[in-house]
Amino acid sequence: MTTPPALSRRRLLSAAGALSTAALLAGCAGTVRDSYAQPGGTVPDRYGRRTRVVLWSSFADIPGETLLALADAFNQGQRDIYVEVQFQGSYDDTFRKTVVGRLGGQVPDLVTLSDVTWGKFLIGGALQPWDELARASGLDLGVYNQHLLKEGLAKDGRNYWIPMARSTPLFYYNRTLFKKAGLPDRAPATWFEMRDWAKEFGKVRLGGNRPKMEAYYKQDGDWQFLGSCWQWGGSWSRGLDITLDSPEVAAAGAWQRRLIYRDRLSYMATDAGLDFGNQLTASVVNSTGALGKFATLAKGSGFRLGTGFVPRGHHFGVPTGGSGFCSFKGVPRERQQAAMEFIKFLARPENSAEWTVKTGYLPVVDAAVRTPKLASLMKADPNFTTSIQQLARTRNQDLARLLVPNANVKVYTGLQKIWSDDADPAKVFRQVADQLRKGMDRVRDSIEQHVRV
C-alpha cells in the first residue's frame, strides 16, 4: 500500500476538533493499514542516520521535562535510534489526535494512552501486542509491578499496554493548616472522621479567609468518585452490567452533596489542585503523579505538604489509573522494535526511579525502590512511600469507566450538577446510567471478544 503524505499538525488539530463520536469510534476500530506514515518532525543532524521513533506524549510541566530528559539520555547513550518526543496536550487530546491520525494513515510509533483511552483501541483490534517485541529485545516483562502490568493484558493473554505513568488517588493535606487547627498530623482514617475534624478546622483563618476542608475537581473528578462509589458499597458496573443507578452510588453522591450544601465544608473547583496550592482548601484527592507539582506549590506558598491513604467511607476503595505505552498494528516492524528499545531503557531500575523521584508517579519497575536515589528519597520524605504502600490495596477500575465511550465525561458532568446545582444524586445517576447502558450495548460484543470480563 502506498504510504500517504504526512498530515500537518494544523490539519490534525482541525480534524480532531471536528470529530463526531461516530468518527472517534471508527478511528479506534476499522481496517488496519499495511503501513502507517510517521508524523512529521525534524531530526537533528547528529542523529540523522538513525531509526527515528516518534513518541506522542501527554506530559507537560515536570513530567514532560522528565520524559524529555530521559529521551535525551537514551539518544546520547546509543547510536542506532533517535526518539523524538512530541507533546500532544492532555490525555483526551492525545486520544483524539491519534484517532485522526489512524483515519488519515499516520500514527506515532509509540503513544502514551490513558486508562480510559487505550482500551478503546484494544476492543477495536487496532493495537500491537508487546510480548514478542519484548522477548526479541531481551526485556523481561516480569520486571514490572505485576499488579500494574496485568491491567494491560487482553483476553488472548498478551500485553498491549506497558506501564509508564501509573498512579492512584492520594489524600493530600496541608500539614501547616492542620497544625493550626490542632488536628493530628496525618490523613483522617475515614471521611466521617474528616467531617468531625472540620469543626476544629473551621476556626482557622488565613489572610482573612477560612479555607474549606476539601475541593472537588470540576473535570475528571469522576476517577476519584469511582473510589467513593466503592467506599459506599456501590460501583459503576459489575462485569458488563451498569450499576451506577444503585442506592449505594446515590448515597456516595449524597454524602458529598451534604458536605457542600449543608455543612459548607467542601466545594467544586475549576482547578482544585491550584486552590490547594494557594491554601484555599486544606486537602484534595488527586493523582500520585501530582506529588511533584504539589511539593513545588507547597514550597512556594510556605506550607508543609502531607499525604495519606484516601480515607475510607463504609469500606476502603481506591482505583489505579494513569497511562502506559501502546503501538499500533501497521507501524513498520523496524520502528516498533526501536520503540521497544526505548521502553527497555525506561525499564532499567535507575531510570524508573528517576521518573518517580522527579514526578511522584508510582515506580512501575519493582527494583526501582531499591535504587539509592529512590530509597534515600523515600527515607527522607515519607510522601513518596504513600502511593507504594497503598498500591497493594487498590482495585482495577470498573469496565464501564474504561470501555464505554465517554463514560467518564458523562459521570463527571452528572457530578457537576450535584456539586454546583444541588441536584438529587439518585435522579442524576439514573439518567447517566441509562446513557451508559446504551453505550455499553454498542461495544458489548467487542468487549467480550477482546477483554477478560
Side-chain angles (χ1 to χ4, degrees):
M1 179 179 290
T2 303
T3 301
L7 298 174
S8 71
R9 183 174 178 82
R10 180 175 296 178
R11 286 177 63 198
L12 279 172
L13 289 170
S14 175
L19 272 184
S20 66
T21 300
L24 282 170
L25 291 173
C28 292
T31 302
V32 175
R33 294 173 183 256
D34 294 336
S35 182
Y36 284 94
Q38 272 188 323
T42 302
V43 180
D45 291 340
R46 64 185 183 278
Y47 299 134
R49 299 179 67 85
R50 300 184 181 191
T51 299
R52 176 173 174 258
V53 170
V54 175
L55 164 58
W56 276 9
S57 161
S58 303
F59 305 120
D61 302 324
I62 293 173
E65 294 168 3
T66 304
L67 181 60
L68 284 171
L70 287 166
D72 187 55
F74 173 78
N75 290 335
Q76 294 184 40
Q78 43 76 47
R79 299 181 178 181
D80 300 317
I81 302 164
Y82 172 70
V83 171
E84 179 180 335
V85 180
Q86 297 182 351
F87 175 64
Q88 300 301 312
S90 69
Y91 284 143
D92 287 342
D93 291 335
T94 301
F95 172 65
R96 286 190 290 267
K97 292 174 186 179
T98 304
V99 169
V100 172
R102 290 196 74 242
L103 292 171
Q106 179 191 96
V107 296
D109 308 304
L110 196 59
V111 59
T112 54
L113 293 175
S114 75
D115 49 359
V116 298
T117 58
W118 81 273
K120 311 296 194 303
F121 291 111
L122 174 70
I123 65 176
L127 296 182
Q128 175 70 33
W130 288 115
D131 307 73
E132 183 182 343
L133 290 163
R135 285 192 296 271
S137 74
L139 173 61
D140 179 5
L141 295 180
V143 303
Y144 289 101
N145 178 279
Q146 294 302 292
H147 181 106
L148 300 175
L149 183 70
K150 289 178 180 177
E151 292 186 44
L153 286 176
K155 191 173 184 178
D156 63 9
R158 294 186 290 180
N159 196 289
Y160 292 80
W161 192 51
I162 296 289
M164 176 56 185
R166 298 306 312 276
S167 59
T168 71
L170 289 183
F171 181 84
Y172 293 91
Y173 67 100
N174 185 319
R175 297 176 65 189
T176 304
L177 288 180
F178 271 43
K179 184 177 182 179
K180 285 184 178 181
L183 298 173
D185 185 15
R186 62 171 175 83
T190 67
W191 290 116
F192 314 115
E193 182 179 44
M194 180 72 167
R195 184 172 177 269
D196 289 340
W197 285 2
K199 298 173 184 177
E200 297 300 322
F201 182 75
K203 303 173 185 177
V204 175
R205 295 292 187 275
L206 188 67
N209 298 318
R210 186 176 74 179
K212 292 287 189 178
M213 181 185 81
E214 185 190 11
Y216 303 124
Y217 281 85
K218 180 178 180 179
Q219 288 191 336
D220 299 328
D222 64 290
W223 181 49
Q224 293 91 323
F225 185 70
L226 174 60
S228 298
C229 293
W230 296 343
Q231 291 168 3
W232 262 256
S235 61
W236 289 26
S237 61
R238 296 190 186 278
L240 302 184
D241 296 328
I242 303 299
T243 55
L244 189 73
D245 49 357
S246 70
E248 292 81 7
V249 173
W255 170 261
Q256 296 182 349
R257 180 193 190 194
R258 171 183 176 174
L259 292 178
I260 294 173
Y261 289 99
R262 184 189 302 180
D263 299 333
R264 308 291 179 182
L265 300 175
S266 303
Y267 68 103
M268 183 182 77
T270 300
D271 188 338
L274 184 60
D275 284 6
F276 176 67
N278 289 329
Q279 302 192 80
L280 300 178
T281 178
S283 71
V284 69
V285 176
N286 199 350
S287 166
T288 307
L291 179 55
K293 175 182 177 180
F294 284 163
T296 300
L297 289 172
K299 184 177 181 179
S301 295
F303 69 88
R304 298 173 66 200
L305 177 68
T307 62
F309 286 12
V310 176
R312 298 190 310 273
H314 299 296
H315 313 275
F316 184 83
V318 174
T320 55
S323 64
F325 288 128
C326 291
S327 187
F328 293 93
K329 294 176 181 177
V331 171
R333 184 76 170 184
E334 179 187 17
R335 300 208 304 261
Q336 288 181 336
Q337 290 171 333
M340 175 52 72
E341 289 300 320
F342 183 55
I343 292 175
K344 181 181 176 180
F345 172 81
L346 295 176
R348 295 178 185 173
E350 66 273 17
N351 293 330
S352 179
E354 178 72 7
W355 174 253
T356 296
V357 167
K358 292 292 180 63
T359 67
Y361 278 108
L362 286 164
V364 298
V365 173
D366 287 333
V369 299
R370 298 189 291 274
T371 61
K373 191 169 188 177
L374 183 52
S376 60
L377 178 62
M378 291 169 61
K379 185 176 181 179
D381 186 353
N383 286 332
F384 279 85
T385 69
T386 306
S387 62
I388 298 170
Q389 294 169 345
Q390 185 180 246
L391 179 60
R393 301 184 61 187
T394 59
R395 289 169 52 182
N396 296 350
Q397 296 180 43
D398 294 343
L399 290 178
R401 184 174 190 269
L402 297 176
L403 297 173
V404 173
N406 294 318
N408 59 323
V409 177
K410 296 179 189 302
V411 173
Y412 75 62
T413 300
L415 287 169
Q416 290 170 6
K417 296 177 182 178
I418 298 168
W419 295 338
S420 65
D421 299 335
D422 196 18
D424 175 19
K427 181 178 180 181
V428 167
F429 292 132
R430 280 197 300 270
Q431 294 171 344
V432 177
D434 287 342
Q435 297 173 26
L436 296 190
R437 288 191 180 95
K438 293 176 182 177
M440 180 66 81
D441 287 343
R442 291 198 296 271
V443 296
R444 184 182 298 271
D445 290 344
S446 295
I447 293 175
E448 291 176 341
Q449 180 182 351
H450 293 282
V451 178
R452 296 176 301 169
V453 178

